[in-house]
Amino acid sequence: KKVIFSGMQPSGSLTLGNYLGALKNWVRLQSEYDCYYCVVDMHAITVPKEPKDLRKNTLEVLANYIAAGLDPEQVTLFIQSHVSAHAELGWLLNCFSYYGELGRMTQFKDKSKKQDSNAITAGLFTYPVLMAADILLYQADLVPVGEDQRQHLEITRDIAQRFNNRFSETFKVPDPFISKDGAKIMSLQEPESKMSKSDSNDNSYILLMDGADAIRRKFKRAVTDSEGVIRFSDAQPGVKNLINIHSKITDKTPAEIVAEYEGKGYAQFKDDVAEIVVDELKPIQEKIDYLLKNKDYLEKIYIHGAEKAEAVARKTLRKAYKKVGFIPRF
Ligand code: TYM
């Protein structure tokens, strides 16, 4: 079986963007591949975090994974900080990554612009190296992510190839797995930028935990345009985004949706998309509530997951340590 690795940061509740851009695809892939899905808490502390929020969000993300349909019997679910090989390979790969290439990462540039320059941590700068370690430890073939992670996947490939060329074949060079449309769910308020939970305007994003009323209200306020015609076009980014959301959930093609709404107005369309989202999220939300009341069950899953992940990760780490000339202790 081919191997899949992916992860999400517990930096707050997940958004509809995380769900449609990544999580929903993870669920589809789970029976065909050997999947490792991680909650990347070590990545989350690259920007300031309250410990109690981090603890809460980490469990919440794990609950979201399961509630969205990942089967803990079938896939390996774990928390990044539980498998120390991530930090260890991360350090090693830091020594094979360049200041220049890390400085060119657009996510770093964006995130560091938002911070006081004295508060930009070294961790934020080397963030993509830890991400490379996550992926390479499992010799992953495919990494299902949203469009915004493409550049991080490219640097992961570069680092893997560089290491393999310097020593010998050590890491599988992974391919990104990014769906064609809907891999970038846009802000409901500024449809030119991606939907993100760090947006200061909470009308711009839908959280997986948003109640039906909040979802309806946010879609009603979604920014569209003055064309008045429902078309799947870059000239109408707001409408295009709504079509994408519809399409990702209903599996209808954008063309089918456009045909269905011929001659109809935006208000009706927005209300319909809101209902589709409400219906999609309702069973997930009920399951999340249930899981968060069953912390013992979640604990069993992440402990078991870490054991499985650890065994695989250790093998790769050992191999990489040997290649660079570290003396094995066992
Ligand atoms: P993160 O936590 O920002 O996002 C998790 C996943 O959700 C996708 N995503 C979106 N997709 C479509 N539209 C959006 N608006 C949207 N917002 C987020 C992201 O592309 C991602 O797939 N660096 C990663 C976490 C990470 C990781 C890894 C991923 C750490 N190690 C190893 C894959 C493999 C991140 O910050 O994702």
Side-chain angles (χ1 to χ4, degrees), residues 5-9 15 17-18 21-22 40 43 107 127 131 134-135 143-149 152 182-186 194-197:
F5 184 95
S6 200
M8 293 202 186
Q9 294 193 66
T15 67
N18 296 133
V40 293
H43 278 107
Q107 189 158 317
Y127 176 115
M131 177 161 164
D134 296 342
I135 298 166
V143 184
V145 285
E147 186 59 46
D148 63 328
Q149 296 298 316
H152 288 160
K184 195 166 184 184
I185 302 298
M186 310 309 274
K194 76 164 179 176
M195 181 181 285
S196 160
K197 58 202 156 209

Side-chain angles (χ1 to χ4, degrees), residues 31-48:
S31 50
E32 239 180 288
Y33 296 87
D34 183 12
C35 300
Y36 296 83
Y37 296 127
C38 183
V39 184
V40 293
D41 54 349
M42 289 158 72
H43 278 107
I45 62 164
T46 55
V47 295

Side-chain angles (χ1 to χ4, degrees), residues 65-326:
Y65 284 0
I66 300 165
L70 290 177
D71 173 4
E73 302 283 314
Q74 200 163 40
V75 303
T76 306
L77 300 176
F78 70 104
I79 298 170
Q80 188 184 30
S81 63
H82 288 176
V83 181
S84 59
H86 290 246
E88 294 166 281
L89 186 66
W91 174 258
L92 185 144
L93 295 179
N94 266 322
C95 303
F96 295 87
S97 306
Y98 297 115
Y99 184 80
E101 63 186 349
L102 291 172
R104 283 193 295 275
M105 292 290 116
T106 54
Q107 189 158 317
F108 171 70
K109 288 194 273 188
D110 290 348
K111 284 194 180 172
S112 52
K113 250 187 264 157
K114 286 186 197 151
Q115 309 253 337
D116 174 353
S117 63
N118 292 315
I120 301 168
T121 66
L124 188 65
F125 187 66
T126 62
Y127 176 115
V129 184
L130 180 59
M131 177 161 164
D134 296 342
I135 298 166
L136 300 179
L137 278 174
Y138 300 90
Q139 307 288 352
D141 296 279
L142 288 177
V143 184
V145 285
E147 186 59 46
D148 63 328
Q149 296 298 316
R150 190 183 287 280
Q151 199 186 27
H152 288 160
L153 257 292
E154 274 159 20
I155 197 172
T156 298
R157 292 170 54 88
D158 289 344
I159 294 169
Q161 270 156 355
R162 187 177 299 147
F163 192 96
N164 288 349
N165 290 339
R166 168 70 181 79
F167 302 101
S168 58
E169 203 58 31
T170 309
F171 301 118
K172 173 97 205 180
V173 180
D175 285 313
F177 185 95
I178 302 173
S179 62
K180 207 160 84 293
D181 281 311
K184 195 166 184 184
I185 302 298
M186 310 309 274
S187 155
L188 298 181
Q189 290 297 314
E190 292 165 56
E192 298 78 22
S193 44
K194 76 164 179 176
M195 181 181 285
S196 160
K197 58 202 156 209
S198 58
D199 203 311
S200 54
N201 180 352
D202 68 2
N203 280 321
S204 71
Y205 52 77
I206 303 284
L207 297 177
L208 287 197
M209 293 304 280
D210 274 344
D213 292 340
I215 295 174
R216 292 186 185 114
R217 177 170 43 82
K218 289 178 182 183
F219 275 106
K220 269 196 205 309
R221 294 188 187 165
V223 168
T224 46
D225 52 64
S226 53
E227 298 279 320
V229 183
I230 294 160
R231 269 189 304 241
F232 193 66
S233 149
D234 288 335
Q236 293 175 246
V239 173
K240 183 176 182 190
N241 189 38
L242 295 175
I243 296 174
N244 264 329
I245 291 171
H246 189 309
S247 165
K248 288 295 272 186
I249 296 176
T250 59
D251 278 331
K252 292 182 184 168
T253 64
E256 284 168 343
I257 296 163
V258 168
E260 202 176 305
Y261 282 91
E262 211 189 301
K264 292 188 183 143
Y266 289 168
Q268 172 76 58
F269 183 51
K270 287 195 216 175
D271 286 348
D272 289 357
V273 175
E275 285 322 302
I276 287 167
V277 172
V278 167
D279 290 346
E280 173 85 0
L281 297 188
K282 193 161 177 274
I284 297 177
Q285 294 175 342
E286 284 166 2
K287 188 129 193 242
I288 294 173
D289 281 343
Y290 173 79
L291 288 166
L292 288 176
K293 285 185 201 120
N294 286 274
K295 298 260 161 63
D296 293 353
Y297 173 70
L298 290 178
E299 186 181 286
K300 273 203 201 94
I301 288 173
Y302 66 66
I303 289 176
H304 179 64
E307 279 165 5
K308 271 167 67 190
E310 171 116 66
V312 178
R314 278 279 139 208
K315 257 172 85 181
T316 303
L317 184 71
R318 253 184 98 79
K319 202 161 123 188
Y321 268 22
K322 257 176 104 173
K323 296 276 175 95
V324 300
F326 292 165

